[in-house]
């Protein structure tokens, strides 16, 4: 059993290392290689789409690209965050009641206010699980378990007549 | 005697385990969708769509052109006021021939329906639009995908009151990264759109339960932001309009990758779908409405080679292909309804010399790497 554990440990560690590499946030916000931003008045285009430089300008960061989970947090609209952050911080305490249809926006004459939507940490948003990292980690863990379990089973079944 | 029995039990257990995992990876495949011409110089392009493996062809129908005068019987496709386009006849016929579904996007209000206020102003009565779709669906019973307007968050397409261009950027008075909510006028505009969606749903579902209504139809950014649009797109009752699919066109300057942080507050490119979709579900799939709502990327592309008059960026041809594959990976992973590429060919050079090479095939008929990439999507 000890020998089996050691043999299993190596691929598990390798898999974990690969997963960590794969799920690392894409830190570099510099425009990707192969993309050319075209100068000129954006209004002349059908679409005025933001790009990494505009993001840095908007956030007041003139230097290095921002990393997810640091200054990026303030770049999400209130109540809007990546799934992982929502799970870490969202208890729905900032909810304005929109989920039950009672928020001010139901009144078309309501004055403009700053959007204060419920954090997506509530049940409605959490159901559906749209986190790629979660899916990736879960799938990889299942695959590792299946492989280990299958190997163990086959090994256990291999008899002296084989 | 025991060992073979044990082996059979173990193998059976493994088989059950494998089958249990199968639904997670082998659910209904997303639709491979595309925009492009029905025919070029009288030659059907559907053999090319067939070669690409397309199973949902998207087509724009100009309400203003089809119904330039008010029909006496608006739900009757045989009303003499209607001038059904030959392209639509051909597309449906070719769709049947090649087993490719056809989606119609209907927009642009005729003068009689809104007091001649312009094609981007919605009809005075939302039922006028819904009746038009009912007539269309009656004439073309093989069409089951109906998109209610295209990119209504852009003032050139729909009468929305633009938010100051960069209002939703962090720097402009939104130091904490909050979105400024729609004002009362913008809320009424979004409500007007919601009425179009809901009225269309009522009439089209009454015709056939197989009809699918696509609402929202936002894009990465616009005259107003897609987040507020989604939030305030609701009926007078406060309920969201009934729909089957929420359309979104997530163009952007970044390659699709959900690990990337949201680019800017209020915008949602392909890499931001993990932020945008929960938001859509929060506001559009609630109070007993739209419980099976799915996200449909109707339009995605990346212009190549030269500056584009449509987009403020362009990419290399190999990168266009890479982005398409990456977009498909996300489409499958996240179980989206489908991915639409716009379009088959690069757009013709305009009179001012500007162009937009968004196609899978260039002006010389050369297939870009993205052609093979699209074809290989499974």
């Amino acid at each position: 059993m000890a020998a089996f554990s050691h043999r299993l440990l190596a691929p598990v560690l390798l898999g974990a290392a690969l997963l960590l590499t794969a799920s690392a946030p894409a830190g570099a916000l510099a425009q990707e290689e192969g993309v050319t931003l075209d100068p000129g008045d954006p209004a002349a285009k059908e679409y005025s789409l933001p790009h990494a430089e505009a993001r840095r300008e908007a956030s007041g960061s003139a230097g290095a690209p921002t990393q997810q989970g640091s200054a990026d947090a303030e770049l999400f609209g209130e109540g809007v965050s990546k799934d992982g952050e929502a799970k870490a911080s969202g208890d729905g305490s900032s909810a304005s009641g929109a989920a039950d249809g009672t928020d001010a926006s139901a009144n078309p004459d309501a004055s403009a206010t700053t959007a204060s939507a419920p954090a997506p940490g509530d049940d409605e948003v959490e159901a559906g699980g749209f986190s790629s990292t979660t899916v990736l980690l879960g799938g990889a863990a299942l695959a590792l378990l299946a492989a280990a379990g299958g190997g163990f089973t086959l090994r256990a079944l291999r008899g002296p007549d084989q | 005697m025991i060992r073979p029995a044990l082996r059979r039990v173990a193998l059976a257990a493994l088989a059950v385990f494998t089958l249990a995992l199968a639904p997670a990876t082998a659910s209904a495949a997303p639709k491979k969708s595309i925009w492009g011409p029905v025919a070029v110089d009288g030659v059907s392009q559907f053999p090319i769509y067939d070669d690409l493996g397309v199973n949902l062809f998207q087509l724009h129908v100009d309400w203003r052109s089809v119904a330039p005068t008010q029909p006496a019987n608006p739900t009757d496709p045989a009303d003499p006021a209607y001038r059904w386009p030959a392209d639509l006849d051909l597309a449906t016929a070719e769709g049947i021939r090649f087993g490719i579904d056809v989606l119609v996007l209907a927009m642009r209000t005729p003068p009689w329906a809104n007091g001649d206020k312009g094609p981007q102003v919605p009809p005075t009565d939302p039922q006028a639009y819904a009746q038009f779709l009912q007539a269309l669906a009656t004439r073309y019973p093989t069409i089951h995908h109906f998109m209610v307007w295209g990119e209504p968050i852009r003032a050139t397409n729909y009468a929305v009151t633009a938010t100051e261009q960069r209002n939703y950027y962090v720097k402009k008075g939104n130091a904490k990264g909050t979105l400024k909510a729609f004002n009362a006028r913008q809320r009424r505009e979004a409500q007007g759109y919601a009425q179009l969606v809901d009225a269309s749903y009522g009439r089209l579902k009454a015709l056939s339960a197989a009809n699918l209504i696509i609402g929202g139809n936002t894009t990465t950014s616009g005259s107003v932001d897609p987040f507020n649009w989604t939030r305030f797109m609701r009926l007078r009752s406060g309920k969201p309009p009934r729909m089957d699919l929420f359309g979104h066109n997530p163009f952007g300057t970044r390659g699709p990758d959900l690990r990337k942080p949201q680019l800017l507050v209020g915008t949602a490119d392909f890499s931001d779908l993990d932020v945008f979709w929960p938001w859509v579900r929060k506001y559009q799939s609630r109070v007993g409405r739209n419980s099976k709502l799915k996200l449909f990327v109707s339009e995605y592309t990346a212009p190549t080679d030269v500056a584009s008059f449509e987009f403020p960026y362009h990419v290399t041809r190999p990168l266009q292909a890479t982005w398409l594959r990456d977009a498909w990976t996300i489409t499958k992973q996240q179980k989206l309804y489908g991915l639409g590429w716009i379009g088959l060919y690069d757009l013709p050079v305009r009179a001012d010399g500007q162009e937009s090479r968004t196609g899978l095939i260039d002006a010389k008929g050369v297939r870009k790497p993205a052609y093979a990439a699209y074809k290989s999507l499974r």
Side-chain angles (χ1 to χ4, degrees):
Chain A
M1 192 62 195
F4 174 77
S5 296
H6 282 299
R7 278 199 299 276
L8 186 60
L9 190 60
V12 166
L13 287 176
L14 177 62
L18 287 171
L19 281 174
L20 283 173
T21 305
S23 60
L29 280 169
Q31 209 58 59
E32 297 160 34
E33 190 176 348
V35 181
T36 303
L37 299 176
D38 298 319
D41 180 8
K45 310 282 184 183
E46 291 283 322
Y47 297 89
S48 178
L49 299 171
H51 49 84
E53 282 72 14
R55 181 178 189 277
R56 276 200 294 276
E57 176 191 333
S59 64
S61 166
T66 10
Q67 297 289 328
Q68 185 172 2
S70 55
D72 289 338
E74 70 180 27
L75 289 170
F76 294 102
E78 185 176 333
V80 186
S81 62
K82 297 273 188 182
D83 279 2
E85 292 175 13
K87 283 168 187 159
S89 62
D91 60 1
S93 59
S94 65
S96 66
D100 62 10
T102 59
D103 64 341
S105 60
N107 175 5
D109 298 321
S111 61
T113 57
T114 297
S116 66
D122 66 16
D123 293 339
E124 189 178 4
V125 172
E126 287 300 310
F130 204 88
S131 164
S132 59
T133 306
T134 305
V135 171
L136 185 67
L137 287 171
L142 272 176
L144 281 172
L145 280 172
F152 180 72
T153 305
L154 288 174
R155 183 176 173 77
L157 289 173
R158 188 177 296 157
D161 55 328
Q162 292 179 6
Chain B
M1 288 299 287
I2 294 175
R3 190 169 292 280
L6 180 62
R7 187 178 304 167
R8 280 196 295 274
V9 169
L11 287 173
L14 277 174
V16 168
F17 181 68
T18 306
L19 285 172
L21 283 180
T25 53
S27 58
K31 300 277 187 187
K32 280 177 69 172
S33 188
I34 200 165
W35 292 81
V38 178
V40 175
D41 296 330
V43 178
S44 168
Q45 301 298 290
F46 273 66
I48 300 175
Y49 300 131
D50 186 48
D51 177 61
L52 284 165
V54 170
N55 43 33
L56 182 61
F57 175 75
Q58 300 189 64
L59 181 68
H60 170 228
V61 173
D62 185 2
W63 181 20
R64 199 176 174 90
S65 301
V66 177
T69 58
Q70 185 168 11
N73 298 299
T75 59
D76 179 4
D79 189 288
Y82 285 130
R83 300 173 184 174
W84 299 107
D87 261 7
L88 195 48
D89 291 341
L90 182 59
T92 49
E94 290 291 88
I96 293 168
R97 183 178 159 213
F98 287 96
I100 297 173
D101 292 333
V102 175
L103 175 155
V104 290
L105 183 169
M107 59 188 284
R108 290 173 45 86
T109 310
W112 56 264
N114 66 3
D116 200 10
K117 291 179 179 173
Q120 78 283 5
V121 175
T124 310
D125 180 1
Q127 289 296 335
Y129 177 82
Q131 288 168 336
F132 170 66
L133 286 185
Q134 182 180 344
L136 192 154
T138 303
R139 179 179 168 91
Y140 304 102
T142 58
I143 295 179
H144 293 297
H145 294 77
F146 299 88
M147 184 172 285
V148 180
W149 229 266
E151 298 180 352
I153 66 170
R154 295 171 56 209
T156 49
N157 287 12
Y158 188 85
V160 288
T161 304
T163 301
E164 194 259 320
Q165 186 65 42
R166 293 176 184 272
N167 212 18
Y168 43 83
Y169 287 9
V170 176
K171 195 175 183 180
K172 298 286 185 180
N174 293 291
K176 292 182 180 177
T178 56
L179 274 174
K180 185 178 180 183
F182 274 2
N183 60 36
R185 180 172 177 171
Q186 290 170 318
R187 293 178 193 198
R188 282 194 295 271
E189 290 161 352
Q191 185 183 81
Y193 175 76
Q195 290 171 331
L196 285 184
V197 175
D198 198 73
S200 303
Y201 185 100
R203 288 185 174 273
L204 292 169
K205 286 291 188 186
L207 273 183
S208 168
N211 287 338
L212 300 176
I213 289 74
I214 307 161
N217 304 324
T218 48
T219 186
T220 305
S221 62
S223 307
V224 295
D225 69 273
F227 285 83
N228 265 313
W229 181 259
T230 303
R231 182 183 179 199
F232 293 107
M233 196 181 97
R234 59 181 67 177
L235 304 169
R236 285 200 179 96
S237 64
K239 291 183 178 179
R242 294 167 293 173
M243 69 180 107
D244 300 288
L245 305 171
F246 189 97
H248 185 60
N249 302 337
F251 306 115
T253 59
R254 308 184 296 175
D257 183 348
L258 294 181
R259 292 172 299 170
K260 293 174 180 172
Q262 189 181 21
L263 194 50
L264 284 174
V265 171
T267 65
D269 69 9
F270 220 113
S271 301
D272 299 328
L273 291 185
D274 56 343
V275 176
F276 186 55
W277 180 231
W279 181 274
V280 172
R281 291 182 63 247
K282 176 180 287 293
Y283 289 106
Q284 293 298 320
S285 178
R286 63 191 188 90
V287 285
R289 287 277 169 98
N290 309 327
S291 60
K292 295 179 180 176
L293 191 66
K294 296 196 82 172
L295 183 64
F296 173 49
V297 173
S298 167
E299 298 180 17
Y300 185 65
T301 192
T304 63
D305 309 338
V306 298
S308 161
F309 63 76
E310 290 183 290
F311 301 97
Y313 64 97
H314 65 275
V315 302
T316 61
R317 292 188 178 201
L319 191 60
Q320 182 194 45
T322 299
W323 284 16
L324 171 54
R325 281 191 292 265
D326 291 346
W328 182 252
T329 298
I330 293 173
T331 300
K332 283 199 303 180
Q333 281 177 348
Q334 306 300 337
K335 298 181 173 58
L336 308 191
Y337 184 75
L339 173 66
W341 184 264
I342 185 166
L344 181 61
Y345 294 104
D346 287 348
L347 296 181
V349 180
R350 296 196 313 194
D352 61 5
Q354 298 217 38
E355 51 189 318
S356 188
R357 300 185 183 178
T358 51
L360 302 177
I361 303 174
D362 72 15
K364 294 178 180 174
V366 175
R367 294 176 176 181
K368 301 181 192 176
Y371 186 99
Y374 186 103
K375 187 174 178 177
S376 71
L377 302 179
R378 296 284 185 276

